[in-house]
Amino acid sequence: MAAATLAGLLTLTACGGSGSGGDPDAPVSLRVAVWTANDDHLALFDEIADAYIAEHPRVEKITFDPLPFDGYTTALTTQIAGGNAPDLAWIFESSAPDFVSSGALVPLDEVLTGTEGYAFEDLLPATTELWREDDQLFAYPFSTSPFAVFANLDLLAEAGVPAPGEMTGAGEWTWDEVIGAASTVAGQTGASGMVIRDFDYTGWDYLATLWTGWDAQAWDESSQCGFDRPEMVGAMTFLHEAVFERGAMPGPGTSADFFAGEAAYTVTQISRASLLEEAGFAWDMVPLPAGPAGEYAVIGQAGLGVLRVGDHPEIAADFLAHFTAPENSARLAEYFPPPRESQLTAETLAQTNPLLSAEQLQDTVVAGIAGGVVKPSHLGQEQIAQTVRAQLDALWKPGADVPAVLGDVCASVQPLLDR
Amino acid sequence: MSGPAPKERRRADCSGPPGRPFWTGRRREALAGYLFVAPQLIGSAVFVLLPLILVFWYSLHEWNVLAGSFEFTGTDNYDQLLNDPSLPGVLTATAVFSVGLVLLNLSLALWLALMLNRRLAGTTFFRTVFFSPVVVSLVAWTIVWRFLLQENGGVNGLLDVFGMTGPNWLRGEFTAMLSVIVVQVFKNVGLNMVLFLAALQGVPRELYEAATMDGAGRWTRFVRITVPMISPTILLTSIITVVGSLQVFAQIDVLTSGGPGTSTTVLVYYLYQQAFQFHHFGYGATLSVLLFAIVFVLTFVQWQLRKKWVFHEQ
């Protein structure tokens, strides 16, 4: 039956179809795959879509279709395989190379530059780099969100550990100092110390928020594996010690939610600040700590692209131009840091991010987007991710031989990087 | 113009032999029978047979969903199957899971059925308790167990009460596989238990009384009377459980995601990864053909072996 189930799913493809139909005046409905189910986000999207519908009578409906965050890309590609592709879709940065290089997306330069008042040149090159191929933009960098450290000031005070602001002022905001403080909190309060959110010993790409401080890379621009290089060995040795010797991070199989007050620090994207709206503790948000290689920033990105196999790619591209035009980009900035240079200022962001101070926005968001590196991504990312995850499992136990495990990672993953 | 022969003409106008109406009682019964089974036949043809044929067809293609390409590649996917370095590990994990699940599930179900087949107070309550997981949502059941099996979860908390330190269940290769098996056993053991209970209640009590009078002990009565008399049910449950064990997916996905390493990556999960995560739909289809072949062979072997040990079969 499992085979039949797969077959059934695959069979849908034969029945699915695309194309806009023959009638150029026929009513059009657009569907946008998104991974947020937040009511406020969806309400804003609907407002922007309603304005577009009002100006375009042929478009009778635009639906934002939330897919679960876990398995989002799998659900999206299954919809495409099943002949039920959305017209537009948010795409993770990790999937960007697969979607951009496969020809799944419609090139956008022409429609965006041809839209009056769009100010295409206002898009920061650093934010569009991941979504370009052959000098064509294949997705709009809808959300560029730097990673930052959130700190539970109450837990730090309880353990007698200085707040991040004090450490930054004293030039002590480094990974070594932070892990030391996290270890102290864990030892004295019973709460967890540092949590790299969404890593959970499987999402290893989130560790880029740490290893970039050692100037390490998962792979370089020529697709050579970087896990076995000294920089990565240094970063992972530090991490291993933080978990298994210093007790500064919860071990595998142990969960701790910073936003529920269960940990002293967490590394996550600034868009998670909304979870602290009703936090029962004092908190602060600061840039990532410096590593041995100095200060750095890491960003996560979401692209919004038009699927070539959608029913109405031309109309969908036109809607994308409307959705991301300067005035709507400014409204979306309330939740999603914009890629527009003119809007990427602490003043603009402060108007729509009441939880964060202008200083926090300048230091973490503006500076992070301008100078940050994007989380690792590569063609065939899912298979690479699974292969690395399987090899790294050997690392997440006391006494692991870090260089040997990382050597095994490269031995397994290099053939996939060479494809 | 001679026209068709009289016999052919009768067939063409469905008039039947002279003097006998076409819609005889026998034909009406046959038509009614066909109409009754038609929905099932049509459903099976559309949702089982056609997909099986199509999945074989897809296994002969390279199908890039994102690029929208669909190219005939002949037996390339089957060549890849034979040379896939991951496949031996995947098949080993599948075999370990299936053997463990079948042995544990059937033996526990039979033991529970024997215990609850007695006329004692509270047996109805315990039957309900052991059967209730069957009706619980599989994913909800598995998510709850994932929390229970964490290093600081409920299972280790319970062990701690007895002064024992439990392992990190889902992070060790052996304990992860054991955990997946046990979670699945607790989920479905109630179903087999109920089937065994029904079978046990059909065993004539006189057989036990006669054997007891002849001096047969408890074990002898179980082996010589109970097992043969319920052997058709054992066959049924073993086929259901073997086939079910080869289809395990949600438990693996929620509990271990195939890890640690690839220790719990069973065939269905590997198939899912290849098709839906890595976008190798053609190779995924090839793996599903392999899965179908394995299920077919195992079911066929079990069905043939019934002649040797199933009591009621002639």
Side-chain angles (χ1 to χ4, degrees):
Chain A
M1 283 308 290
T5 303
L6 173 71
L9 287 167
L10 298 181
T11 303
L12 293 173
T13 304
C15 307
S18 61
S20 57
D23 186 355
D25 298 320
V28 167
S29 293
L30 296 180
R31 186 163 62 89
V32 188
V34 297
W35 70 73
T36 177
N38 181 298
D39 288 339
D40 295 335
H41 296 178
L42 295 175
L44 177 57
F45 297 165
D46 285 337
E47 277 180 32
I48 296 172
D50 288 344
Y52 182 80
I53 291 170
E55 293 171 8
H56 298 80
R58 192 184 165 199
V59 180
E60 61 176 8
K61 192 176 179 187
I62 298 173
T63 310
F64 292 90
D65 184 13
L67 301 175
F69 183 82
D70 288 334
Y72 175 86
T73 304
T74 301
L76 179 61
T77 50
T78 304
Q79 287 191 351
I80 297 170
N84 184 34
D87 297 283
L88 300 100
W90 287 14
I91 298 159
F92 286 119
E93 76 277 304
S94 58
S95 305
D98 284 332
F99 275 84
V100 169
S101 298
S102 64
L105 301 173
V106 172
L108 298 172
D109 295 62
E110 198 175 321
V111 67
L112 297 185
T113 53
T115 299
E116 193 180 339
Y118 191 81
F120 185 66
E121 66 285 351
D122 193 27
L123 300 180
L124 280 165
T127 64
T128 59
E129 190 178 352
L130 189 62
W131 310 98
R132 285 192 168 279
E133 188 172 86
D134 299 334
D135 212 24
Q136 282 279 344
L137 183 69
F138 285 90
Y140 173 88
F142 181 75
S143 171
T144 302
S145 186
F147 285 85
V149 174
F150 289 84
N152 182 326
L153 300 179
D154 291 349
L155 274 177
L156 297 181
E158 187 182 337
V161 168
E166 297 170 51
M167 293 172 76
T168 305
E172 292 173 348
W173 190 241
T174 65
W175 269 106
D176 195 42
E177 294 288 342
V178 171
I179 287 299
S183 180
T184 303
V185 173
Q188 298 202 3
T189 68
S192 294
M194 165 65 79
V195 176
I196 296 180
R197 191 176 167 92
D198 298 320
F199 160 50
D200 200 24
Y201 297 89
T202 53
W204 55 268
D205 52 336
Y206 286 93
L207 294 179
T209 57
L210 182 142
W211 72 49
T212 306
W214 275 251
D215 204 18
Q217 291 176 288
W219 44 80
D220 61 20
E221 287 178 0
S222 56
S223 291
Q224 290 302 303
C225 177
F227 279 94
D228 58 356
R229 294 185 184 164
E231 297 86 358
M232 183 65 84
V233 172
M236 294 300 232
T237 301
F238 175 83
L239 176 68
H240 193 270
E241 287 173 2
V243 176
F244 296 102
E245 291 174 26
R246 302 169 77 175
M249 300 172 74
T254 305
S255 58
D257 183 3
F258 171 84
F259 296 96
E262 296 171 356
Y265 303 101
T266 190
V267 172
T268 190
Q269 284 168 288
I270 60 115
S271 51
R272 302 291 179 103
S274 59
L275 294 172
L276 290 164
E277 216 156 356
E278 295 174 9
F281 53 86
W283 58 275
D284 194 6
M285 186 199 76
V286 287
L288 294 171
E295 294 182 355
Y296 64 101
V298 178
I299 55 179
Q301 272 198 330
L304 183 60
V306 175
L307 289 165
R308 201 183 283 273
V309 293
D311 286 340
H312 310 285
E314 288 177 9
I315 299 172
D318 190 55
F319 172 63
L320 175 65
H322 167 84
F323 194 67
T324 60
E327 62 276 17
N328 289 328
S329 172
R331 298 176 69 191
L332 291 164
E334 181 174 357
Y335 305 107
F336 309 100
R340 291 181 174 277
E341 191 172 9
S342 61
Q343 295 173 352
L344 199 58
T345 63
E347 293 74 30
T348 310
L349 293 169
Q351 290 172 13
T352 51
N353 287 277
L355 289 175
L356 304 177
S357 68
E359 187 185 3
Q360 286 172 319
L361 290 165
Q362 179 63 44
D363 291 351
T364 309
V365 184
V366 178
I369 292 175
V373 299
V374 183
K375 273 173 59 200
S377 60
H378 196 278
L379 265 178
Q381 176 73 19
E382 286 284 352
Q383 192 166 8
I384 290 169
Q386 284 297 329
T387 304
V388 174
R389 193 275 305 156
Q391 292 295 335
L392 282 181
D393 276 342
L395 194 62
W396 311 132
K397 55 185 74 169
D401 184 341
V402 178
V405 172
L406 295 178
D408 290 344
V409 171
C410 276
S412 297
V413 84
Q414 190 60 55
L416 300 176
L417 294 171
D418 289 339
R419 283 183 187 176
Chain B
M1 295 290 288
S2 58
K7 190 175 176 182
E8 290 169 348
R9 194 160 53 233
R10 277 201 303 275
R11 276 187 186 162
D13 62 13
C14 300
S15 57
R20 283 184 63 192
F22 179 76
W23 287 112
T24 60
R26 191 181 180 85
R27 281 182 170 158
R28 284 175 197 277
E29 271 186 30
L31 178 65
Y34 287 128
L35 287 175
F36 273 120
V37 299
Q40 179 66 27
L41 280 178
I42 293 168
S44 297
V46 173
F47 295 110
V48 178
L49 193 60
L50 179 62
L52 282 175
I53 294 167
L54 280 172
V55 85
F56 180 72
W57 176 241
Y58 294 146
S59 74
L60 302 175
H61 292 75
E62 176 62 42
W63 181 5
N64 186 328
V65 171
L66 293 182
S69 61
F70 188 69
E71 294 171 22
F72 183 80
T73 54
T75 58
D76 282 4
N77 285 324
Y78 289 89
D79 293 340
Q80 185 183 343
L81 187 76
L82 294 174
N83 297 303
D84 186 344
S86 301
L87 203 57
V90 168
L91 293 177
T92 302
T94 308
V96 169
F97 178 83
S98 295
V99 171
L101 179 73
V102 171
L103 290 179
L104 207 57
N105 189 326
L106 292 187
S107 54
L108 183 61
L110 182 55
W111 181 76
L112 286 172
L114 289 167
M115 293 298 108
L116 297 175
N117 194 35
R118 301 173 183 189
R119 289 176 184 161
L120 296 173
T123 51
T124 306
F125 170 75
F126 284 109
R127 286 175 191 178
T128 308
V129 167
F130 290 120
F131 186 76
S132 56
V134 176
V135 297
V136 172
S137 154
L138 175 61
V139 173
W141 171 264
T142 313
I143 288 173
V144 169
W145 272 100
R146 187 178 66 187
F147 284 108
L148 291 174
L149 290 166
Q150 286 184 346
E151 190 170 28
N152 57 350
V155 172
N156 282 349
L158 191 63
L159 291 174
D160 194 42
V161 171
F162 297 101
M164 292 184 280
T165 304
N168 198 347
W169 294 96
L170 299 175
R171 301 297 307 186
E173 292 192 0
F174 172 74
T175 54
M177 179 59 90
L178 181 68
S179 301
V180 177
I181 291 172
V182 169
V183 169
Q184 176 64 359
V185 166
F186 285 163
K187 175 76 176 70
N188 278 341
V189 72
L191 184 63
N192 285 343
M193 179 196 76
V194 167
L195 294 172
F196 282 134
L197 265 174
L200 287 171
Q201 287 168 6
V203 181
R205 300 194 68 78
E206 309 87 70
L207 294 177
Y208 291 116
E209 290 165 5
T212 305
M213 290 176 67
D214 287 344
R218 184 173 291 183
W219 177 249
T220 305
R221 291 201 300 274
F222 173 72
V223 173
R224 298 293 175 88
I225 298 173
T226 306
V227 171
M229 292 300 288
I230 67 168
S231 54
T233 304
I234 296 176
L235 174 70
L236 170 71
T237 51
S238 63
I239 289 177
I240 291 173
T241 311
V242 167
V243 173
S245 73
L246 292 165
Q247 297 176 346
V248 63
F249 172 76
Q251 300 88 322
I252 299 287
D253 191 37
V254 174
L255 287 175
T256 65
S257 299
T262 54
S263 60
T264 57
T265 303
V266 297
L267 188 52
V268 171
Y269 193 73
Y270 187 58
L271 184 165
Y272 159 79
Q273 284 185 323
Q274 289 288 342
F276 295 103
Q277 289 190 313
F278 307 161
H279 312 143
H280 300 155
F281 279 81
Y283 189 53
T286 311
L287 289 166
S288 68
V289 171
L290 172 67
L291 177 64
F292 174 78
I294 292 172
V295 171
F296 181 83
V297 168
L298 285 178
T299 307
F300 180 77
V301 168
Q302 284 177 289
W303 188 247
Q304 290 304 310
L305 286 176
R306 82 193 190 285
K307 295 169 186 168
K308 294 190 180 300
W309 63 276
V310 176
F311 180 67
H312 283 173
E313 292 286 335
Q314 298 301 317

